[in-house]
Structures are given as C-alpha cells and as structure tokens.
Amino acid sequence: MRLALDEAERAVRGGDVPVGAVVLSPDGTTVLATGHNEREATGDPTAHAEVLAIRRAAARLGEWRLTGCTLVVTLEPCTMCAGALVQSRVDRVVYGARDEKAGAAGSLWDVIRDRRLNHRPEVVEGVLAPECAALLTEFFRDR
Ligand SMILES: [Zn+2]
C-alpha cells in the first residue's frame, strides 16, 4: 500500500485525483506493474489507476489472465474498475479508503463479490485507509 500511495502522489503532478495502484505477482514478492490516475494527463476517461496497472501487468506477463495476482489500490474501485478487475482474474483486491459516493467493492455496490459472477476475487479493505483518504482530502481542499 505504501507503493500505491507513492504512485497516487504522482497523479497530482498531472493534475489528476491522487489514486495509485500496484499489481503484485502471485507469490507477492514482485511488483508487476504500477498505475496512477491519468485522466487529465491523457484525456482518457478510462485511465484510472487500476485499469492502467492491470493493463501493464498483463503486458508484462504476456497474457490477459492475472490469476493469483493481487491488486492494491488506495481508493475503493469504481464500477468500471471493479468490472475490469473481475475480468482480469486477479485473486485479491486490497484497497485503502472507501468511496461512499461511487465505490463498487462494498460501499455503493459490491460488483467484485457479486455472487452471480463466476470469478469473485477476495476483497481486503481499509489498509492504511486514513493515509489514503488524507491524500484525497488534501487534494480537493487545494482545488
Ligand atoms: Zn475506476
């Protein structure tokens, strides 16, 4: 999560909301890829931290399935990212702050653990939540 927080801070430089993500290898020892919000920087509405991180991890592994991998992100995934995470077949999603307004991993929806889906990654929430939330609060206060 510390790495994801570092990544989140990079988003601010491009004028983006500070959200950062990291994909860990199945044995948890290797960082396969990182990503931070780049919507403003790239003008791409889908350039959320999680989507960028899983795309890079898949490119590095040479296949779309991220079976066994863990995605760590500073903010609860939105519906788009929750869907992308299910599609990527990651085994675990770890997030920091809850997103009561748009979260799709337990807050507003629970897309990731929807029993109607075949693949349901494990969800761990609240890791370093105060730090993750503080970054966001600080960012929006400065706007
Ligand atoms: Zn998202």
Side-chain angles (χ1 to χ4, degrees), residues 7 9 31 73 79 85 102 111 124:
E7 197 55 35
E9 281 174 10
V31 174
V73 60
T79 45
L85 290 166
V111 172
V124 179

Side-chain angles (χ1 to χ4, degrees), residues 39-88:
R39 277 193 305 187
E40 299 294 340
T42 61
D44 175 358
T46 71
H48 286 191
E50 302 93 310
V51 167
L52 297 174
I54 60 175
R55 274 188 193 145
R56 289 170 188 150
R60 182 163 170 193
L61 292 175
E63 73 151 315
W64 63 268
R65 284 182 202 83
L66 302 180
T67 308
C69 294
T70 297
L71 176 118
V72 181
V73 60
T74 57
L75 179 66
E76 182 178 355
C78 69
T79 45
M80 172 183 74
C81 292
L85 290 166
V86 170
Q87 292 300 324
S88 76

Side-chain angles (χ1 to χ4, degrees), residues 86-137:
V86 170
Q87 292 300 324
S88 76
R89 305 285 195 269
V90 292
D91 272 19
R92 207 165 299 99
V93 175
V94 178
Y95 71 84
R98 278 172 79 93
D99 185 352
E100 301 291 348
K101 289 181 183 155
S107 292
L108 205 51
W109 298 280
D110 199 348
V111 172
I112 295 183
R113 287 172 292 194
D114 191 311
R115 291 180 172 277
R116 292 166 292 186
L117 298 172
N118 283 332
H119 181 74
R120 293 190 299 271
E122 177 193 354
V123 175
V124 179
E125 66 169 88
V127 178
L128 299 182
E131 285 95 323
C132 295
L135 257 186
L136 292 161
T137 308

Side-chain angles (χ1 to χ4, degrees), residues 4-23:
L5 277 165
D6 289 347
E7 197 55 35
E9 281 174 10
R10 287 194 186 102
V12 180
R13 279 175 235 153
D16 276 284
V17 176
V19 178
V22 171
V23 178

